[in-house]
Amino acid sequence: MAAAGWYHRDISQVVAEGLLAKAGRDGSFLVRDSESVKGAYALCLLFQRHVYTYRILPDDEGLLSVQTIQGIQAKCFRTLPDLIGAYQHPNNGLVTSLLHPVHRARPDEDSDGEDARGWGHTVPCPGAPPSSRTHIPQQLHQRLQEQVHSSPASDFMGFMAEYLTHHVQLDLEALCHGHPQLRHLSTALATACRALHSEIDFTLAGLETLARVFDPPVSPRSPAREQQGFLSSDPDLELLLNKISTVNQLLSSLEKKVLKSLQETVTRHNLALPSVAVAPPPAARPLAVQNFEVKVGKSQRAALTVDVELGTVTITKRGSGSPEEVIPQDKILQLIKYQSVQSKVRLMCARDNQKSLSRDFIFPSARKREAFCQLLQLMKIQHSNLDEPELISVYVGTWNMGSTPPPRSLASWLTSRGLGHTQDETTACIPHDIYVIGTQENSLGDREWVEFLCASLKTLMAIDYRVVALQCLWSIKIVVLVKPEHQRRISHVHTSSVKTGIANTLGNKGAVGVSFLFNGTSFGFVNCHLASGSEKTHRRNQNYSDILHSLALGDKRLGGFDLTLRFTHLFWFGDLNYRLDMDMQDILTHIVKKDFQALLAVDQLNLEREKNKVFLQFSEGDISFPPTYRYERGTRDTYVWQKSKPTGVRINVPSWCDRILWKSHPETHVVCNSYGCTDDIVTSDHSPVFATFEVGVTSQFVPKEAPGSSPEALACIEWESIEVILKTTSRSKCYIEFHSYCLEEVQRSGENTFQNCDIPGFLKLGWSSKHLPVLNPILPDLEYLGDQHLLLSIKGVESCESYGECCLAVRSAIGTTAQQFETFLFHRGEETGSVRGWMRVRVPRGRCGTRERLYEWISFEEEDAEPPAEAPVCPKPRPQRLRSRPRSLPEPASGYTNPAYFIFEGVPNAWLPAPGAAPKKQAEGPAGGQQSRSPTGPRVPLPSEEEPWGVRPRCGPPSPSRGHPLSPPTVGHHKRPKSAVLTRDTAGLGDCSLYVATHLSQLDQVSPLCRGDRHEVPLRQTHPALEPPPRPCREAPKPLGKRGALGALELEAQTPPPADLQPARMQ
């Protein structure tokens, strides 16, 4: 099995189809693990540019057979190679014989001697030439020599070197002959560990003696316990393992046994223990009163005094000793941040028997303004009457400690002080609700590290934080700490780890993760250490994919979904090890000038994200701090880029290896308040990195009306239509699964009613309202539904494997008219297509009550610009429908159009430049246009006649700010790269590459690229929420064909292969 090149293990369906498309010959095949049935396989076969997938299932006796339709007897085989060999003959029921195996690609080795999927070479079979047999021991011996200089176990390395030189070849030959025992390796390990026997015997004897002291007394007539006989020096490896297991069991049970014995002694002899005065836990330090110097109006200066404990804001004019005005926190109605002037804020206050009063204040800097807003937010939280929080603060830190102990103080790291976007001194010591700290190359013990962190936070914050979880993988650790009052709100804690080191079995590289529920909000945290080396970008991408696929976190019912969709908020951080693709001296020049944008343009992580290779739809704060690697230890003034290794000098250019990213469900509240690194922790060659977040959370909803008190009115989620485009060479009929915590159980649609695979490499599917289920949430209240989300999974009918998943917010569809949605589909970290449609959420009249959340009273707005005298008067904007979105949220990503739609529908003439006219260059992202699209028709959005597409009319001079007036800066406005549906592996899509290239050339005229600053205008068009236009007559669908004995859908007339028994195939 291991030597079968056509077996690709657990690659995804998309990767398998890509490999077959590159092979390009009818009869090309490979075998992968099934995604829907554990222990099963999927046989993927290429025929006439389409991939047919057959499921191989094991029976109770372990025999394998290709799944067939009902009434057809299956052929059983003992091994997978036997099955493949049988189906290489014609007339066995497949669309064609298995002719051309597609072999696994040889993985790259990274700079640490690691490879992507194994030892870097396939195991040679007995018939292999001698040169390939001798190459593997030499390669392994060379890797061992590279590790000797850093390992103190020279004697042990000597035993292993002898094994690699003389005996590993014998184990390889035995393995090829079907004997996997590795007898020579066992002998070498037993010999190398012989000295360990005496040490364990000595330790065991002492532990057993101590354990017998606390054992209950035995009767004189009871026979003495038989000795274990561990005092011999038998070098047998199994005996050594048994001894180590016994030591482990004794150490884990000894503390409990001693405690129980002492407690029984106290009870039996009625001993009175001396009373010890227990010191009360230190109370949280009250926040000091903070003062801010501001400017009111054009020249008037004043002071703002914020007393969080008292709940007041005092305004004092310059030169006046008495307070001018004291505003209690319950009179503050709204806080508005201006984007055009980053240091300006407007305070809306209620007056007795009068209208609201507004005051504008300009702070010395944007940081001071943010500190003032955070203090007012904290004041609102402390003085609210809510039993459960609606807003919490989350701290995330990552640090590669370089295998050295930490300094005595971590104050700058834990209080977000240093370089970059940091906290103001007035708010730096405000304790966060949750601390998540990830480390790599951490040489401290687990308990020692946790105690050190808790003690550090207790010293800084005067709070005894509680440990929620600790997960370790070798030297990679993640610790989650929460305030004591939040401990009861944490539930469903899960931890997991994934190894991505050599052969994915060593934990020197990999990831650790923690997930939990905070009341009703799910959180996921992943700390990883990816492969090192400037040239190993592909290997790091593979690490990310392996972690995404293998990390077992979150609700098990969502195990089939992409990891990034299982949580309301997912934070991914660590030593990602992505480097800068630039010459060393040029990098240093840009660092000295603090020209970080030029460096970020060649940052490998940014480049891979633009290609949609990793971290799809993740966000990252603005990087305004220097690269955090590779510093000279003991200082932060010098980068050291040369590293001596036995193989030569290795260059490590300064890079932002340490990163923090996050991804949240749509229309949830999350704001990054700081992102930076320390400048005074110098024990490692990495600088610690921190980020703080303001996160909205939900709690268990309690309806005002008790269930059963009145006739139950149901809310309903209705669908008018759904259309999906998949990047696949399959022709499978599909269905949609609907998952949500607001549903009692998983709901499923019928099979798609429309299908089009005319474009090679793409499959277009459609569902009408009759084939989509009406979903009834368990609670009909508007306030409850506004926090819910739906997870959709597009699955094949025969295979039950997912082609892609997405997340939709229920909030945006609440109303009497259907609202359009459009988003990408993901599967195992890859973009696999897109979905669009129309949905409506109906809420009963008596359940429409809602309230403003604590995080919604701070909004974002542009400053009104006064038009110049000669400026033309702009027409009044059309009135927009009132929306249920909170004011603190940015506008949703507007109705962008996936370029995949143009392949099926063509590029509208209105989008193409006139003959002989140069394409218009856009100064900024398209905004302000309208989109008119039928719920089911094949039309694409057309530009508004009044407002040209991509040009936003303004009154007066253009504002430097971007985005919607209510959008916070840098939140939700990240550059979206071209759809990977088109740009990924375009050449491997068979005959469609020229067709795709033709349309891409047209799209480039619509959306030109600015190569100089790497600015890319995404193909999108914003529009206000519109009611769906009248539905036009849709084209009659093509005949869907018939189902044959294979149980698969034939969309095109073709002569079926002659067969008596035809297995059921999955497409």
Side-chain angles (χ1 to χ4, degrees), residues 894 922 924-930 947-954 963-964 1020-1023:
S894 56
Q922 295 165 320
E924 60 181 69
Q930 294 185 359
E947 300 175 4
W949 182 78
V951 180
R952 181 178 182 179
R954 296 178 181 272
H964 191 272
R1020 62 172 64 183
Q1021 183 180 18
T1022 60
H1023 64 93

Side-chain angles (χ1 to χ4, degrees), residues 41-98:
Y41 305 97
L43 170 62
C44 303
L45 176 60
L46 181 67
F47 182 66
Q48 294 185 355
R49 297 188 308 178
H50 291 278
V51 174
Y52 298 84
T53 305
Y54 300 84
R55 187 151 44 178
I56 302 175
L57 302 175
D59 60 12
D60 296 336
E61 299 179 0
L63 299 178
L64 300 173
S65 62
V66 177
Q67 185 182 19
T68 62
I69 63 175
Q70 188 175 3
I72 302 297
Q73 184 178 1
K75 297 179 181 180
C76 297
F77 302 89
R78 188 167 300 279
T79 65
L80 192 56
D82 293 341
L83 185 148
I84 297 300
Y87 282 98
Q88 289 178 336
H89 302 290
N91 303 328
N92 271 301
L94 307 182
V95 292
T96 185
S97 303
L98 306 181

